[in-house]
Structures are given as C-alpha cells and as structure tokens.
C-alpha cells in the first residue's frame, strides 16, 4: 500500500507522434472509460503544437476534467530570442501543469547535459510548472556497474539548487536509456532496487522527501507488464511512450495502476 501522499501517476508521452485526429479519438475513448481519478493522476503529454487544442477538448468534456496536461520539453528561459523554443511560462499559460525535463531522447539526440537539465528544472519551477525529471543509465553504464553513480550525478546538479518546498513536488521518472522504445524493460525487482536507492538519495537532502516524492518507472512499460512494476512498493507509477498511443493498452495500464497501487 502506498502512502496516500504519493498519489499513483501514469504519464502518456506521445513524443513526436500522432495527429490531431488521433488525439481526438484517443480522448473520446478515454472519456468513455475513465478510471477512478481520485486514485490515479493521469498526465497527457501530446506534441506541443496540439496542447492548446487538447486543453479545449478537455474543458468541453466533464469526464476529462481531471486529466492533467504536460509538455514534453521546455527551455531554460522564460522569454527572449530563442528561435523554436517554448518557455515554461508559455506552457503554463496554455494549460500545462507538468513538464518533462531531461528525457533521454533530449539528452542523447539533442545533447542536453546535466547543467542544462538543471536550468530547465529551475525555469519550470519559476513558471509554476512541476518538472517530471527523467534520469537513467545507458546499457554500457549498467554493465560497468555505474548505475547509481550516474543517477546521483544526474540528480545532484538539479537538487543542489532547489529548496525543500520545490523538491517535495518534483516527480522523478527512472528510465534506463536502453529500455526505452526497445520492448525490453528492466526487471521489476531491479527497478525496485533503483527506486529504493533513489529514495535513500532523496533522504540525504531531507528525510521527509523519501516519503513525499513520486518516483515512476519508464522504459517499455506495456499492458502486460505494468502490473509487475506497480506491485513494487517504491514505484509510484509509469512514464509510458509507445504503449500510450493505443487507448486500450493505455487504459489497461491505468486500471492496473488503480487496482494494484491502491490496495
Ligand atoms: P517507451 O518510452 O514506453 O516507448 O519505452 C518511454 C519513454 O520514452 O518515456
């Protein structure tokens, strides 16, 4: 049983996929089959260009009102000559409550380093956007036994600049890089071991954080394996990529989250 303060959470990250038509269909079906939102927070991260329209669709349909919106990436400044970037303030203005920061695709494909990720987290907080901070090791780092070392490095740069007030609301998504989009997740027992490590790491900043901060798992979470992660005491939900594109699969994951994490 999870402490009630850590409400289970499932995030749908559509990445650069889908279309407005697909999103409309997805939301319609989600509305018809909505899970118990008192027991689960659902955060939808569509491609940024659709967020404003998605917000309007949510407002039009009461069943969707509890659905939260997240942005997949924001910049580390709030305004200025930064062609192509979106500021956290802008994301907040169009209806986002959450923002992914430091997703491994951003770190790898767009060369975002720990320092930039830390600046983005800080900018998100200044705009009242709650960061979902993604951390995780590569296959090579895992093989070399460096998983904890890598996670500590990724977290330290971010954590050292945040007050307790901010830190207590952060969501951490532990996503081993090699498990993302490959269909091969990390075994649930190993995920649990990492999340226990992350909680102990949080306790170094403040003992209370260990109990307050939600830590999700991401990396090939699917309809037939989500349960195994949710059954672990230190996993508070999932960050779902591919499997969130199919509404039925996504709903299966959400239902499993409700039934298992609220037992
Ligand atoms: P995946 O993606 O579920 O397709 O592995 C997860 C993620 O990138 O957050």
């Amino acid at each position: 049983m999870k402490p009630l303060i850590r409400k289970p959470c499932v995030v749908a990250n559509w990445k650069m996929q889908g279309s407005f038509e697909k999103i409309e269909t997805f939301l319609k079906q989600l509305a018809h089959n909505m899970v118990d939102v008192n027991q689960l927070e659902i955060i939808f991260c569509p491609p940024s260009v659709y967020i404003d329209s998605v917000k309007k669709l949510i407002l039009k349909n009461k069943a969707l009102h509890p659905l939260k919106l997240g942005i997949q990436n924001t910049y580390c400044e709030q305004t200025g000559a930064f062609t192509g970037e979106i500021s956290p303030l802008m994301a907040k203005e169009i209806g986002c409550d959450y923002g992914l920061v430091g997703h491994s695709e951003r770190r790898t494909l767009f060369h975002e380093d720990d320092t930039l990720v830390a600046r983005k987290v800080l900018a998100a907080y200044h705009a009242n956007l709650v960061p979902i901070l993604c951390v995780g090791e590569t296959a090579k780092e895992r093989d070399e036994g460096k998983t904890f070392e890598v996670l500590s490095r990724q977290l330290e740069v971010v954590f050292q600049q945040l007050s307790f007030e901010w830190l207590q609301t952060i969501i951490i998504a532990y996503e081993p890089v090699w498990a993302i989009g490959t269909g091969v997740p990390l075994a649930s027992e190993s995920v649990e071991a990492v999340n226990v490590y992350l909680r102990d790491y949080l306790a170094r900043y403040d003992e209370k954080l260990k109990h307050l901060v939600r830590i999700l798992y991401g990396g090939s979470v699917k309809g037939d394996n989500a349960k195994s992660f949710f059954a672990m005491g230190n996993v508070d939900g999932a960050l779902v990529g591919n499997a969130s594109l199919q509404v039925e699969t996504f709903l299966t994951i959400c239902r499993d989250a409700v039934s298992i994490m609220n037992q």
Side-chain angles (χ1 to χ4, degrees):
M1 169 100 181
K2 308 271 173 218
L4 285 172
I5 40 176
R6 295 205 318 263
K7 188 174 182 177
C9 172
V10 174
V11 185
N13 175 16
W14 274 33
K15 311 190 179 184
M16 198 181 72
Q17 298 171 111
S19 62
F20 185 62
E21 199 186 328
K22 287 203 171 112
I23 290 174
E24 256 190 316
T25 310
F26 177 84
L27 289 180
K28 211 179 276 173
Q29 291 175 18
L30 199 64
H32 281 141
N33 299 280
M34 206 56 176
V35 297
D36 183 351
V37 288
N38 291 317
Q39 307 207 56
L40 179 71
E41 184 164 40
I42 306 177
I43 303 171
F44 183 34
C45 303
S48 309
V49 288
Y50 300 125
I51 292 173
D52 196 37
S53 316
V54 171
K55 183 71 190 175
K56 289 181 181 124
L57 289 177
I58 291 175
L59 290 174
K60 266 201 249 163
N61 189 333
K62 208 157 174 252
L64 292 173
H65 283 187
L67 186 65
K68 301 276 174 51
L69 270 173
I71 188 160
Q72 296 174 17
N73 175 43
T74 45
Y75 196 50
C76 56
E77 300 284 345
Q78 307 297 358
T79 184
F82 303 104
T83 301
E85 293 293 337
I86 298 170
S87 85
L89 262 183
M90 292 167 183
K92 186 72 193 176
E93 192 182 4
I94 57 167
C96 291
D97 289 315
Y98 293 94
L100 297 181
V101 187
H103 188 281
S104 81
E105 283 147 20
R106 301 290 323 169
R107 291 180 192 259
T108 316
L109 302 172
F110 303 96
H111 313 294
E112 293 191 5
D113 61 16
D114 295 331
T115 311
L116 180 60
V117 169
R119 289 181 66 202
K120 286 185 169 199
V121 166
L122 201 60
Y125 273 120
H126 279 296
N128 217 1
L129 204 65
V130 174
I132 301 171
L133 174 65
C134 304
V135 292
E137 80 289 358
T138 61
K140 184 167 176 283
E141 288 162 343
R142 174 159 280 267
D143 289 347
E144 290 170 355
K146 292 187 179 153
T147 299
F148 295 159
E149 190 188 313
V150 170
L151 295 173
S152 305
R153 193 202 69 220
Q154 291 174 334
L155 291 175
E156 193 184 345
V157 196
V158 176
F159 278 22
Q160 64 190 8
Q161 57 174 4
L162 300 179
S163 64
F164 174 81
E165 271 58 45
W166 278 348
L167 267 181
Q168 64 178 334
T169 63
I170 204 166
I171 297 179
I172 296 174
Y174 167 55
E175 301 202 297
V177 177
W178 50 272
I180 296 176
T182 58
V184 186
L186 179 61
S188 52
E189 295 76 16
S190 306
V191 171
E192 176 71 355
V194 170
N195 284 20
V196 167
Y197 172 81
L198 292 173
R199 285 200 196 287
D200 288 342
Y201 184 87
L202 284 161
R204 286 188 223 163
Y205 285 82
D206 191 308
E207 183 66 25
K208 286 193 223 86
L209 291 172
K210 186 174 180 169
H211 308 289
L212 292 172
V213 172
R214 289 182 286 182
I215 307 179
L216 317 181
Y217 168 71
S220 298
V221 173
K222 290 181 261 165
D224 60 4
N225 66 20
K227 277 196 196 99
S228 66
F229 305 111
F230 298 155
M232 297 289 145
N234 285 288
V235 179
D236 300 312
L239 173 48
V240 189
N242 277 328
S244 70
L245 294 166
Q246 305 300 326
V247 73
E248 258 320 314
T249 317
F250 185 65
L251 277 163
T252 301
I253 295 170
C254 291
R255 282 190 211 108
D256 285 347
V258 169
S259 66
I260 294 173
M261 288 197 279
N262 291 289
Q263 266 167 21

